[in-house]
Amino acid sequence: MSDDAPEDPALIGPTLVGKIKDKLIHSKEKWADEGRLITGMPDEAHLGRLPPGQKQVTNWPVLDLGVQPDVKKENWRLQILGLVENPLALKLDQFFALPQSESVSDIHCVTAWSRYDNHWQGVSSRTLLDLAKPKPDAKHVIFHCYDGYTTNVKLEVFADSDVLLAHSWEGKPLPREHGGPVRVVIPKWYFWKSAKWVTRIEFSANDKPGFWEVRGYHNEADPWKEERYS
Ligand SMILES: Nc1nc2c(c(=O)[nH]1)N[C@H]1C(S)=C(S)[C@@H](COP(=O)(O)O)O[C@H]1N2
Ligand SMILES: [Mo]
């Protein structure tokens, strides 16, 4: 017995029932919010992190068109052209002399693998935008790569704070098979928008759907909306 004032037993029952119900509803809401009953993933830290239809991997698959350009360091160029005030043609040492940025992000490939916690180092898109200064009518960005691959994003997607032109992954130079010496990383989009072996960044008033975009892939690529196919 507690020291509290005695309660009317007629009121205790309904109050208790009400409390139990609230707790259950709250727990179930929390599980739904975390996606616990859907994903069934054991590690609580990963709840709500895997976009629909994706499977987590710990390796890093290589996807390309079948050719992996071997760009000699002295021959590498990054051109920024099209609708910009200051077109640029950077050599590799000039690129490395730019302010450096880091980011950590998850990769989501449209072929349904996701790889968590990738540590990238490189030059942020914002640094390049500050240098090149897109003109007001520039609305689209098209990446051109040494293997002939192209892909396109809207200017505001390229200008997001987590977008990098990466030269390093996990503290080491980006290997050739993953797009070294320099690739684009657009973490919020499916990975086909992250152009490997990038050599030209074109600013355009018109959209120019890229290699996969003209082959049935979505023009945007938001993994949370499953924007896989057009
Ligand atoms: N230049 C170039 N960039 C590319 C590709 C490509 O074939 N060529 N493939 C795209 C696709 S479909 C994916 S999933 C990722 C794969 O990058 P990874 O091989 O480093 O995993 O690169 C993207 N960028
Ligand atoms: Mo892909």
Side-chain angles (χ1 to χ4, degrees):
M1 288 293 286
S2 78
D3 294 326
D4 293 338
E7 291 168 272
D8 181 347
L11 295 176
I12 290 169
T15 306
L16 279 176
V17 168
K19 275 180 187 166
I20 290 165
K21 213 175 169 186
D22 285 345
K23 210 173 159 186
L24 277 171
I25 290 167
H26 187 72
S27 295
K28 285 183 138 179
E29 276 185 321
K30 197 159 170 268
W31 292 348
D33 189 42
E34 291 168 347
R36 179 163 164 174
L37 299 176
I38 295 165
T39 68
M41 291 183 69
D43 184 346
E44 291 213 332
H46 293 172
L47 291 173
R49 190 169 173 183
L50 197 64
Q54 297 293 110
K55 284 201 175 69
Q56 193 191 348
V57 299
T58 50
N59 62 323
W60 187 7
V62 172
L63 287 100
D64 52 48
L65 303 178
V67 286
Q68 296 177 351
D70 189 7
V71 189
K72 298 248 181 325
K73 285 191 171 172
E74 60 272 25
N75 296 335
W76 184 88
R77 292 291 183 282
L78 178 65
Q79 284 183 275
I80 301 188
L81 43 80
L83 295 175
V84 291
E85 305 286 349
N86 298 321
L88 301 169
L90 299 168
K91 296 181 178 182
L92 203 56
D93 56 346
Q94 295 172 313
F95 178 78
F96 273 82
L98 295 176
Q100 299 291 301
S101 302
E102 301 188 1
S103 76
V104 183
S105 59
D106 298 345
I107 295 170
H108 305 298
C109 175
V110 74
T111 59
W113 57 270
S114 293
R115 190 185 189 289
Y116 291 168
D117 289 324
N118 299 275
H119 294 71
W120 306 101
Q121 288 170 292
V123 175
S124 81
S125 61
R126 292 187 174 179
T127 296
L128 295 173
L129 289 167
D130 287 346
L131 286 170
K133 301 193 195 324
K135 293 179 179 175
D137 46 346
K139 302 283 185 242
H140 301 273
V141 181
I142 296 95
F143 305 107
H144 301 261
C145 309
Y146 276 109
D147 61 344
Y149 185 85
T150 59
T151 189
N152 57 311
V153 293
K154 292 200 171 83
L155 177 56
E156 64 262 28
V157 171
F158 181 63
D160 207 344
S161 60
D162 57 3
V163 173
L164 281 185
L165 269 76
H167 55 66
S168 295
W169 176 82
E170 302 302 319
K172 284 173 272 185
L174 191 63
R176 183 161 59 94
E177 66 266 28
H178 287 300
V182 177
R183 78 175 298 160
V184 179
V185 177
I186 302 180
K188 290 195 184 79
W189 266 196
Y190 282 124
F191 211 34
W192 88 77
K193 295 288 186 180
S194 291
K196 310 204 282 190
W197 311 293
V198 66
T199 182
R200 293 199 317 277
I201 303 178
E202 177 191 353
F203 289 81
S204 170
N206 310 315
D207 198 5
K208 299 183 185 178
F211 185 88
W212 289 120
E213 290 83 4
V214 300
R215 287 170 175 78
Y217 282 76
H218 206 286
N219 204 44
E220 324 295 317
D222 186 341
W224 295 98
K225 295 186 194 162
E226 289 217 81
E227 291 176 339
R228 300 175 189 274
Y229 313 110
S230 52

